[in-house]
Amino acid sequence: MSATDTRDIDALNWVAPRRTPGTLARLMDNKAFLVCICLFPALSLLIVFLTYPLGLGIYLAFTDTQIGRAGEWVGLENFESLFHDRIFLNAVWWTVAYTFFATILKFGLGLWLALLLNNHMPFKSLVRAIILLPYIVPTVLSAIAFWWIYDPQFSIISYVLVDKLHWLDHYIDFLGTPWHARWSLIAANVWRGIPFVAITLLAGLQTISPSLYEAAMLDGASPWQRFRFVTRPLLMPILAIVMTFSVLFTFTDFQLVYAITRGGPINSTHLMATLAFQRGIPGSHLGEGAAIAVAMIPFLILATVFSYFALGRRKWQQGSDND
Amino acid sequence: MANVSIRAVRKAFGTTQILHGVDVEVDDGEFVILVGPSGCGKSTLLRMIAGLENITRGEIAIGGRVVNNVAPKERDIAMVFQNYALYPHMTVRDNMAFSLKLAKAPKAVLEQKVGRAADILGLGQLLERYPRQLSGGQRQRVAMGRAIVRDPQVFLFDEPLSNLDAKLRVNMRAEIKDLHQRLKTTTIYVTHDQIEAMTMADKIVVMHAGRVEQIGAPLDLYDRPANQFVAGFIGSPAMNFLNGNVRGGMCEVNGVRLPLPAGTSGEEGRPVVYGIRPEHWVLSGDGVPALVRVTEPTGSETQVMARVGDTAITCAFRERVAAKPGETIHIAPTPHQVHLFDQQTGMRLN
């Protein structure tokens, strides 16, 4: 029957018989209800494990709570005393310096390693797997290994330099003097951080089409110019992401330092995170420890804001990718 | 501008032989197309001319200078890649000017050369855009602009049209040909599309499995293919091949007798391949019977898929054919358009 046939009124007015849906089915059709039920698992995890601890930490920072004694609201007192606390100020300075030097070294060496691994070579996948090893080992375990490497008596570095190569005439006191300890910690952090940087940058390098290098080669670019004009700009977006993560991880580092030096000698290697723990748990001044931890927040926000702008899509990344 | 000589060039990746001794002479200002099925080594040969692959044996000379050990940038060539290889982070202007910038060309030279290339290709409005903001055809033009700006001795094109849609491909085909006629730069162009080869080339090099099958002008290849491979590769729809034997001055195929071309020295009983292009069948009352399976009227011609004996053939008639599937038509080959090949070697016999 054609659609223009208007004589057959019954057919035109035919309506599918309506079935009344159950309460549950109707509830499931409600968008608001569905949104809530789908958000619930993720939100509850976030609230229990992130928002609540963060909120409690911030609250504690404004109290004089100690372990075993509920504190009272003291306003900014904790922060005022920290502002005159030379150990805390030293920790702030050292945390920034630690992050700065470790990040530079990690990215310099990581990029170099990624560029090497991006070439054709034998046993490529095996080498890549080996590169990842430092990242797989639990931090505390590698910290203990470094503890031995830096031991004043049994250090393998001292042994090689003094007993084997005879370049030095006495063993190095790696962890006994402030500056030695600081550089030793940076070295350990760099060793641990390189795989993350190298592997992610390698992934970035592999997204760059080889024909771009061939085109640049025909255009007359030297290897350095190919790196400068092709690799570097195309790697920037992923570099910014990796840099942000790396800075956040390094700034909040705790395990390596606590396991190797515990902030010593004479508090010279305390990071803000280790100092916060030291004051809060062994030192039992929860409020003060929390205040130190809260003092890290502005730095982290600064890093995130920086990355927010650095990560913004560059002009050349806009538009369709229809090739 | 320069001529290009490819002499006994071989290429092997490890123990895998890709090219088995290739000889091609490209004259100054000529448009030469390397054509062949996938994996025949045509792209490898082009990359060897560009210097992106080294030459295992033999030599390649550009403008009389052997370039086997000359770095790509010293060869004075420009290449257009299949995926265009435009630098995504540079504007159209910077993409085209990149080689000049590296060569430290004065700004005035740079502006002038980029401007000229943009004029030739109609890219004037797009100079500040990024590759992502361009359509496929525009990207293709920028890639050509990048090559033109360098004023090279030789243009190399590596399947430049294969990423474009059919209509754009036809337009760009004409544009590239027009460009060559204006610039007169020696051009070597790789494609697997024989239509591109037929329509654009001064000279076609048909390659197959690392060997050159035939070199010649497009219509020479069409009219006198040297062997069965070239005969089947050039021309669309493809040539019909019927296996038969020479008997009494005719070719016997499935019990059907077809006329041999004039001057064929076919000894009695010799197994041959009888090759006839679809457009060289004519409807003829005393021809061989063919059972129609499918007819495809395209307007300008009618293609008929039919069976002669148990061999499937294709015919293309300029006239309209009313035959329906299941009916029998009578067709005859035009004798002087018949190609005869040896069944064993595939070489041409007439």
Side-chain angles (χ1 to χ4, degrees), chain B residues 100 105-116 149:
Chain B
L100 297 173
K107 208 169 164 55
V109 173
L110 198 139
E111 286 294 322
Q112 205 186 340
K113 286 204 172 194
V114 171
R116 183 178 144 257
V149 162

Side-chain angles (χ1 to χ4, degrees), chain A residues 103 106-107 110-111 135 193-204 235-250 307 311:
Chain A
T103 305
K106 268 189 274 197
F107 274 78
L111 180 61
Y135 203 61
I194 278 180
F196 174 68
V197 177
I199 295 294
T200 41
L201 290 188
L202 179 62
L235 205 55
M236 255 353 223
I238 192 155
L239 197 81
I241 297 175
V242 180
M243 180 82 85
T244 307
F245 276 104
S246 176
V247 165
L248 292 184
F249 290 153
T250 314
S307 74
L311 288 179

Side-chain angles (χ1 to χ4, degrees), chain B residues 293-313:
Chain B
R293 290 168 57 228
V294 179
T295 59
E296 292 181 343
T298 64
S300 62
E301 61 175 26
T302 309
Q303 291 183 12
V304 178
M305 277 61 143
R307 278 187 170 283
V308 170
D310 49 10
T311 311
I313 60 156

Side-chain angles (χ1 to χ4, degrees), chain B residues 47-120:
Chain B
R47 290 169 59 81
M48 286 161 86
I49 299 169
L52 299 172
E53 300 282 353
N54 54 18
I55 298 161
T56 310
R57 268 208 260 149
E59 60 181 26
I60 294 178
I62 299 175
R65 177 175 66 139
V66 174
V67 293
N68 282 31
N69 295 313
V70 176
K73 61 173 173 174
E74 311 289 344
R75 295 190 183 196
D76 206 3
I77 43 118
M79 184 157 165
V80 175
F81 291 83
Q82 183 174 1
N83 61 358
Y84 320 136
L86 299 179
Y87 310 117
H89 55 291
M90 295 186 196
T91 58
V92 168
R93 180 194 302 281
D94 291 340
N95 261 288
M96 295 209 282
F98 188 57
S99 61
L100 297 173
K101 263 185 199 158
L102 292 177
K104 303 214 186 323
K107 208 169 164 55
V109 173
L110 198 139
E111 286 294 322
Q112 205 186 340
K113 286 204 172 194
V114 171
R116 183 178 144 257
D119 282 346
I120 292 174

